[in-house]
Amino acid sequence: MDLKKAKVRKAVAALFSLLKKNKKSMFIDEAEKIHLQFTFKKVPNVKNKTLHLNLPHSLKRDTVDVCLFVKDLNKKKRDFDPSIHHYKELLDKHDISFVTEVIPLKCLKTDYKPYEAKRILSDRFDVYLADKCIIRLLPDYLGKAFYGRKRLPIGVNMSASDLKKELLQALDNSHCYISGRGPCSMCTVAHSEMKAEHVVDNVIAAANQIATGIPGGPVNIKNIYIKTEGSMSIPLFFSTDDGDVVLPRQERKVEDNDSEEITTILGAKVKVSRFGDVKIIQEKRVAEDEDLDLDSLTAKKKFKSAQAKTSKKSSMAPSKSKSVALKQKTLKSGIKQPKKSKKQKTKS
């Protein structure tokens, strides 16, 4: 990525002058994050990709508030206090004092289930760290309050031998999140309390790493801006080349769905293919299915067999209503029914 240092210095100086004007009008004097915003010519064909950016100057501040998401020690028990005590002792053992709060997964599931609670949590801390073994579960627990606002937790290895170095490395460097849903992305590269020359070095290092890490390479970058959350965007780079960007192809893995239970047919399962074909699978051994009630199944079979026997008997013997109807017809016609002889009575 060809970013000229003199041009980056001018943009950083202009950004710092804007921050000074904003601070005069505001009573709160806090450090603001400086972001690097860039747009693509073609949307990368990736989904939720994270680029790890190694910056020459640390982003960590003395007054930063850090939240750590950890896994549960015992998944069966509802109480999550033992997990909090365990990880706090682990942090004290490695002389880590910059973590403000430890939150296990069960605490997220119970105390932070409403959206308003998640939104308040996303504004409480500056940086969010998470154990790598639970990072894939967090989108379901945190939702749009975090991932919609790009408040993404940074994955760390909690079983590392040098845990303090692992956490400091996550706080010192930055991460760029590419969703693959739009042409724009943004990452944090500095803050307003840093020296201007340090901000320039971080901007150039981050831009070069992003250009080489995205699909399509540096040719796919259309423009780059530098900004804070409340300031206007200051341009750093514009691409005048309208050449075609070739994105690498990704093979799409298509798998058929597993068969699921069907309630309308007893002891059967339904399977839908990727083409929309529906296939009903009848299980041979119904007794092996644990979800079926075998007592009710045998009772139904007995009831059906008894019903079949009674229907056979009724078909063999003439019904009373038919005999009564025959007698009424003979009386109306005046034909006398032949009397049974003695021999016929004895036979009957």
Side-chain angles (χ1 to χ4, degrees), residues 7 30 34 36 46 62 69 76-77 91 109 113 174 191 213 243 297 343:
K7 192 174 182 179
E30 291 184 355
I34 298 173
L36 193 69
V46 294
D62 296 333
F69 299 120
K76 294 181 180 179
K77 290 185 178 180
L91 295 174
K109 192 176 180 180
K113 193 174 182 179
S174 183
H191 56 82
L297 190 63
K343 289 180 180 180

PDB file of all heavy atoms in Angstrom, residues 7 30 34 36 46 62 69 76-77 91 109 113 174 191 213 243 297 343:
ATOM      1  N   LYS A   7       1.659  12.992   3.679  1.00  0.00           N
ATOM      2  CA  LYS A   7       0.211  13.176   3.539  1.00  0.00           C
ATOM      3  C   LYS A   7      -0.533  12.695   4.783  1.00  0.00           C
ATOM      4  O   LYS A   7      -1.519  13.320   5.222  1.00  0.00           O
ATOM      5  CB  LYS A   7      -0.258  12.417   2.303  1.00  0.00           C
ATOM      6  CG  LYS A   7      -1.670  12.745   1.880  1.00  0.00           C
ATOM      7  CD  LYS A   7      -2.020  12.065   0.574  1.00  0.00           C
ATOM      8  CE  LYS A   7      -3.430  12.455   0.140  1.00  0.00           C
ATOM      9  NZ  LYS A   7      -3.798  11.820  -1.149  1.00  0.00           N
ATOM     10  N   GLU A  30     -11.985  13.459  27.730  1.00  0.00           N
ATOM     11  CA  GLU A  30     -11.641  12.035  27.662  1.00  0.00           C
ATOM     12  C   GLU A  30     -10.933  11.734  26.348  1.00  0.00           C
ATOM     13  O   GLU A  30     -11.117  12.440  25.346  1.00  0.00           O
ATOM     14  CB  GLU A  30     -12.904  11.169  27.772  1.00  0.00           C
ATOM     15  CG  GLU A  30     -13.544  11.200  29.135  1.00  0.00           C
ATOM     16  CD  GLU A  30     -14.734  10.258  29.229  1.00  0.00           C
ATOM     17  OE1 GLU A  30     -15.090   9.665  28.182  1.00  0.00           O
ATOM     18  OE2 GLU A  30     -15.288  10.132  30.323  1.00  0.00           O
ATOM     19  N   ILE A  34      -9.302   6.819  17.588  1.00  0.00           N
ATOM     20  CA  ILE A  34      -9.074   7.236  16.204  1.00  0.00           C
ATOM     21  C   ILE A  34      -9.229   6.004  15.316  1.00  0.00           C
ATOM     22  O   ILE A  34      -8.553   4.985  15.518  1.00  0.00           O
ATOM     23  CB  ILE A  34      -7.681   7.871  16.037  1.00  0.00           C
ATOM     24  CG1 ILE A  34      -7.577   9.125  16.902  1.00  0.00           C
ATOM     25  CG2 ILE A  34      -7.404   8.198  14.572  1.00  0.00           C
ATOM     26  CD1 ILE A  34      -6.184   9.738  16.940  1.00  0.00           C
ATOM     27  N   LEU A  36      -9.659   4.024  11.460  1.00  0.00           N
ATOM     28  CA  LEU A  36      -9.280   3.978  10.055  1.00  0.00           C
ATOM     29  C   LEU A  36     -10.435   3.354   9.288  1.00  0.00           C
ATOM     30  O   LEU A  36     -10.775   2.185   9.504  1.00  0.00           O
ATOM     31  CB  LEU A  36      -8.000   3.162   9.877  1.00  0.00           C
ATOM     32  CG  LEU A  36      -7.293   3.271   8.527  1.00  0.00           C
ATOM     33  CD1 LEU A  36      -6.687   4.651   8.357  1.00  0.00           C
ATOM     34  CD2 LEU A  36      -6.213   2.207   8.396  1.00  0.00           C
ATOM     35  N   VAL A  46     -16.107 -13.006   1.905  1.00  0.00           N
ATOM     36  CA  VAL A  46     -15.832 -13.646   3.192  1.00  0.00           C
ATOM     37  C   VAL A  46     -16.981 -13.324   4.137  1.00  0.00           C
ATOM     38  O   VAL A  46     -17.760 -12.404   3.891  1.00  0.00           O
ATOM     39  CB  VAL A  46     -14.495 -13.179   3.801  1.00  0.00           C
ATOM     40  CG1 VAL A  46     -13.327 -13.631   2.953  1.00  0.00           C
ATOM     41  CG2 VAL A  46     -14.477 -11.669   3.985  1.00  0.00           C
ATOM     42  N   ASP A  62      -3.868   3.892  30.667  1.00  0.00           N
ATOM     43  CA  ASP A  62      -3.880   3.587  32.104  1.00  0.00           C
ATOM     44  C   ASP A  62      -5.296   3.537  32.662  1.00  0.00           C
ATOM     45  O   ASP A  62      -5.569   2.824  33.619  1.00  0.00           O
ATOM     46  CB  ASP A  62      -3.056   4.638  32.867  1.00  0.00           C
ATOM     47  CG  ASP A  62      -1.586   4.596  32.467  1.00  0.00           C
ATOM     48  OD1 ASP A  62      -1.125   3.510  32.047  1.00  0.00           O
ATOM     49  OD2 ASP A  62      -0.919   5.647  32.561  1.00  0.00           O
ATOM     50  N   PHE A  69     -14.881 -12.100  29.290  1.00  0.00           N
ATOM     51  CA  PHE A  69     -15.890 -13.150  29.229  1.00  0.00           C
ATOM     52  C   PHE A  69     -15.196 -14.507  29.310  1.00  0.00           C
ATOM     53  O   PHE A  69     -14.257 -14.779  28.543  1.00  0.00           O
ATOM     54  CB  PHE A  69     -16.698 -13.069  27.925  1.00  0.00           C
ATOM     55  CG  PHE A  69     -17.459 -11.792  27.758  1.00  0.00           C
ATOM     56  CD1 PHE A  69     -17.209 -10.952  26.682  1.00  0.00           C
ATOM     57  CD2 PHE A  69     -18.427 -11.419  28.679  1.00  0.00           C
ATOM     58  CE1 PHE A  69     -17.905  -9.776  26.517  1.00  0.00           C
ATOM     59  CE2 PHE A  69     -19.129 -10.236  28.529  1.00  0.00           C
ATOM     60  CZ  PHE A  69     -18.872  -9.416  27.451  1.00  0.00           C
ATOM     61  N   LYS A  76     -23.671 -27.707  34.878  1.00  0.00           N
ATOM     62  CA  LYS A  76     -24.915 -28.238  35.444  1.00  0.00           C
ATOM     63  C   LYS A  76     -25.486 -27.323  36.521  1.00  0.00           C
ATOM     64  O   LYS A  76     -26.696 -27.201  36.651  1.00  0.00           O
ATOM     65  CB  LYS A  76     -24.667 -29.637  36.008  1.00  0.00           C
ATOM     66  CG  LYS A  76     -24.313 -30.665  34.940  1.00  0.00           C
ATOM     67  CD  LYS A  76     -24.102 -32.034  35.551  1.00  0.00           C
ATOM     68  CE  LYS A  76     -23.741 -33.059  34.466  1.00  0.00           C
ATOM     69  NZ  LYS A  76     -23.517 -34.403  35.040  1.00  0.00           N
ATOM     70  N   LYS A  77     -24.606 -26.705  37.306  1.00  0.00           N
ATOM     71  CA  LYS A  77     -25.076 -25.841  38.394  1.00  0.00           C
ATOM     72  C   LYS A  77     -25.462 -24.468  37.868  1.00  0.00           C
ATOM     73  O   LYS A  77     -24.854 -23.953  36.932  1.00  0.00           O
ATOM     74  CB  LYS A  77     -23.981 -25.698  39.458  1.00  0.00           C
ATOM     75  CG  LYS A  77     -23.744 -26.976  40.244  1.00  0.00           C
ATOM     76  CD  LYS A  77     -22.741 -26.743  41.348  1.00  0.00           C
ATOM     77  CE  LYS A  77     -22.522 -27.998  42.167  1.00  0.00           C
ATOM     78  NZ  LYS A  77     -21.535 -27.787  43.251  1.00  0.00           N
ATOM     79  N   LEU A  91      -6.169 -14.540  37.667  1.00  0.00           N
ATOM     80  CA  LEU A  91      -5.610 -13.243  37.281  1.00  0.00           C
ATOM     81  C   LEU A  91      -4.657 -12.702  38.348  1.00  0.00           C
ATOM     82  O   LEU A  91      -3.607 -12.132  38.028  1.00  0.00           O
ATOM     83  CB  LEU A  91      -6.745 -12.243  37.031  1.00  0.00           C
ATOM     84  CG  LEU A  91      -7.680 -12.545  35.848  1.00  0.00           C
ATOM     85  CD1 LEU A  91      -8.830 -11.542  35.817  1.00  0.00           C
ATOM     86  CD2 LEU A  91      -6.936 -12.529  34.536  1.00  0.00           C
ATOM     87  N   LYS A 109     -26.297 -15.223  30.248  1.00  0.00           N
ATOM     88  CA  LYS A 109     -27.575 -15.862  29.898  1.00  0.00           C
ATOM     89  C   LYS A 109     -28.708 -15.443  30.824  1.00  0.00           C
ATOM     90  O   LYS A 109     -29.869 -15.342  30.388  1.00  0.00           O
ATOM     91  CB  LYS A 109     -27.400 -17.378  29.934  1.00  0.00           C
ATOM     92  CG  LYS A 109     -28.549 -18.149  29.326  1.00  0.00           C
ATOM     93  CD  LYS A 109     -28.243 -19.635  29.305  1.00  0.00           C
ATOM     94  CE  LYS A 109     -29.405 -20.412  28.679  1.00  0.00           C
ATOM     95  NZ  LYS A 109     -29.135 -21.858  28.638  1.00  0.00           N
ATOM     96  N   LYS A 113     -29.953 -11.038  29.735  1.00  0.00           N
ATOM     97  CA  LYS A 113     -30.807 -11.586  28.680  1.00  0.00           C
ATOM     98  C   LYS A 113     -31.591 -10.502  27.938  1.00  0.00           C
ATOM     99  O   LYS A 113     -31.698 -10.548  26.708  1.00  0.00           O
ATOM    100  CB  LYS A 113     -31.764 -12.626  29.264  1.00  0.00           C
ATOM    101  CG  LYS A 113     -32.459 -13.455  28.223  1.00  0.00           C
ATOM    102  CD  LYS A 113     -33.273 -14.568  28.863  1.00  0.00           C
ATOM    103  CE  LYS A 113     -33.929 -15.436  27.800  1.00  0.00           C
ATOM    104  NZ  LYS A 113     -34.711 -16.540  28.393  1.00  0.00           N
ATOM    105  N   SER A 174      -4.591  -4.138  17.503  1.00  0.00           N
ATOM    106  CA  SER A 174      -5.965  -3.891  17.069  1.00  0.00           C
ATOM    107  C   SER A 174      -6.452  -5.036  16.186  1.00  0.00           C
ATOM    108  O   SER A 174      -5.675  -5.911  15.782  1.00  0.00           O
ATOM    109  CB  SER A 174      -6.040  -2.564  16.309  1.00  0.00           C
ATOM    110  OG  SER A 174      -7.368  -2.283  15.936  1.00  0.00           O
ATOM    111  N   HIS A 191      -5.468   6.568  19.634  1.00  0.00           N
ATOM    112  CA  HIS A 191      -6.376   7.394  20.449  1.00  0.00           C
ATOM    113  C   HIS A 191      -5.786   8.780  20.592  1.00  0.00           C
ATOM    114  O   HIS A 191      -4.608   9.028  20.267  1.00  0.00           O
ATOM    115  CB  HIS A 191      -6.659   6.749  21.811  1.00  0.00           C
ATOM    116  CG  HIS A 191      -5.433   6.441  22.617  1.00  0.00           C
ATOM    117  ND1 HIS A 191      -4.793   7.395  23.368  1.00  0.00           N
ATOM    118  CD2 HIS A 191      -4.743   5.281  22.774  1.00  0.00           C
ATOM    119  CE1 HIS A 191      -3.749   6.839  23.972  1.00  0.00           C
ATOM    120  NE2 HIS A 191      -3.688   5.571  23.632  1.00  0.00           N
ATOM    121  N   GLY A 213      -4.264  -8.241   3.597  1.00  0.00           N
ATOM    122  CA  GLY A 213      -5.087  -9.290   4.216  1.00  0.00           C
ATOM    123  C   GLY A 213      -6.460  -9.467   3.615  1.00  0.00           C
ATOM    124  O   GLY A 213      -7.075 -10.525   3.780  1.00  0.00           O
ATOM    125  N   GLY A 243      -9.497  -0.601 -12.739  1.00  0.00           N
ATOM    126  CA  GLY A 243      -9.263  -1.957 -13.229  1.00  0.00           C
ATOM    127  C   GLY A 243     -10.142  -2.975 -12.522  1.00  0.00           C
ATOM    128  O   GLY A 243     -10.635  -2.755 -11.404  1.00  0.00           O
ATOM    129  N   LEU A 297     -48.632 -47.553  22.641  1.00  0.00           N
ATOM    130  CA  LEU A 297     -48.569 -48.208  21.338  1.00  0.00           C
ATOM    131  C   LEU A 297     -49.177 -49.603  21.401  1.00  0.00           C
ATOM    132  O   LEU A 297     -49.972 -49.998  20.539  1.00  0.00           O
ATOM    133  CB  LEU A 297     -47.111 -48.282  20.886  1.00  0.00           C
ATOM    134  CG  LEU A 297     -46.849 -48.711  19.455  1.00  0.00           C
ATOM    135  CD1 LEU A 297     -47.442 -47.702  18.480  1.00  0.00           C
ATOM    136  CD2 LEU A 297     -45.361 -48.856  19.200  1.00  0.00           C
ATOM    137  N   LYS A 343     -89.368 -81.316  13.074  1.00  0.00           N
ATOM    138  CA  LYS A 343     -88.040 -81.813  12.755  1.00  0.00           C
ATOM    139  C   LYS A 343     -87.055 -80.643  12.626  1.00  0.00           C
ATOM    140  O   LYS A 343     -85.923 -80.714  13.097  1.00  0.00           O
ATOM    141  CB  LYS A 343     -88.077 -82.562  11.417  1.00  0.00           C
ATOM    142  CG  LYS A 343     -88.804 -83.883  11.553  1.00  0.00           C
ATOM    143  CD  LYS A 343     -88.803 -84.577  10.209  1.00  0.00           C
ATOM    144  CE  LYS A 343     -89.534 -85.942  10.287  1.00  0.00           C
ATOM    145  NZ  LYS A 343     -89.545 -86.643   8.988  1.00  0.00           N
TER     146      LYS A 343
END
